[in-house]
Amino acid sequence: MKYRHRYHAGNFADVHKHVTLLMLLEALQRKEKGFLYFETHAGRGTYDLADSAIESRHGIERLADADCAAPPLCRYLALLEQLRRARGSPRLYPGSPWLAASVLRGQDRAVFVESLPEEARALERSIRGVGPARMRVDVGDGFEQLRSSLPPLQGRALTLIDPPYEDTRRDFDRTGAALVDALARFPTGVIAIWYPVKIAAETRRWLDTLARRVTRAMLATEFRLYPADSRVALNGSGMLIINPPYQLDTQLEECLAELYSRLAVGPDGGISVRAIAAP
Ligand SMILES: C[S@@+](CC[C@H](N)C(=O)[O-])C[C@H]1O[C@@H](n2cnc3c(N)ncnc32)[C@H](O)[C@@H]1O
């Protein structure tokens, strides 16, 4: 069966990914000059949490209506509210393209790639009229399309690579290859890669391999709800950030500590933010 993000929307991994993404977008917007926001695996843009009731119960459902202290978390929750008010539906959840569309400025551009035509059409509908940036939805293979989009005309870019990892090994391999290729075409671009945290040794091997091949600065943030190597489907959520913006590490630590205090389900999870260097 083809992966459908609608059954996972708003889970703890989405929350971790989307809060981190908003921090990256805000960091790029510290400069007036516009940039290209590129998503290789975009999904449908907005989701009905009725389809992901079990997973979102351990994610966004534990945060909605809660107070927040860390500014990135407050902004994320405010955007969630904005979407729900605009559409008159308290069960909607914003995917990464909708979040990006709502904060991009007139001078920024966005390209969203999605392989399933039906999801791409839903995405077009969900971001229509959202924000002032010019945006395009392409149906196709996100890894391939990324190759032809770099270097960006704008001279600045943030890329999110968020594959389904249905075939986990293949997506890890393709993601690594896409990263190396993207940096060869555009070494200063900021790239964020979401990855599943399941078996710790496998994740370490993948990160070590990338560290040997990539010479740019890399930061890995992981958000684990379950003990390392436990047999739940997903122990944790990882975001690897290449060319991380200044002070992102400290901001992530503060924000994720608050997020973790809200979402923890037991004593064995945890968060980490660490630089990745060649072993
Ligand atoms: C994890 S979901 C994306 C979620 C989205 N980034 C978000 O956070 O809201 C992955 C999406 O990639 C799509 N997909 C799978 N293989 C793809 C490929 N090779 N190129 C582009 N999209 C692909 C799937 O149909 C699915 O909608």
Side-chain angles (χ1 to χ4, degrees), residues 176-191:
L179 170 61
V180 170
D181 180 76
L183 288 174
R185 289 167 196 278
F186 187 51
T188 56
V190 179
I191 300 175

Side-chain angles (χ1 to χ4, degrees), residues 3 161-173 175 193-196 198 206:
Y3 177 94
I161 302 180
D162 183 21
Y165 295 92
E166 233 179 350
D167 182 343
T168 310
R169 173 62 62 84
R170 183 164 186 265
D171 271 346
F172 267 122
D173 288 350
T175 298
I193 299 173
W194 184 83
Y195 61 92
K198 292 179 176 173
W206 179 68

Side-chain angles (χ1 to χ4, degrees), residues 37-50:
Y37 175 66
F38 192 98
E39 268 208 52
T40 55
H41 297 71
R44 60 189 291 120
T46 52
Y47 299 89
D48 185 335
L49 290 180

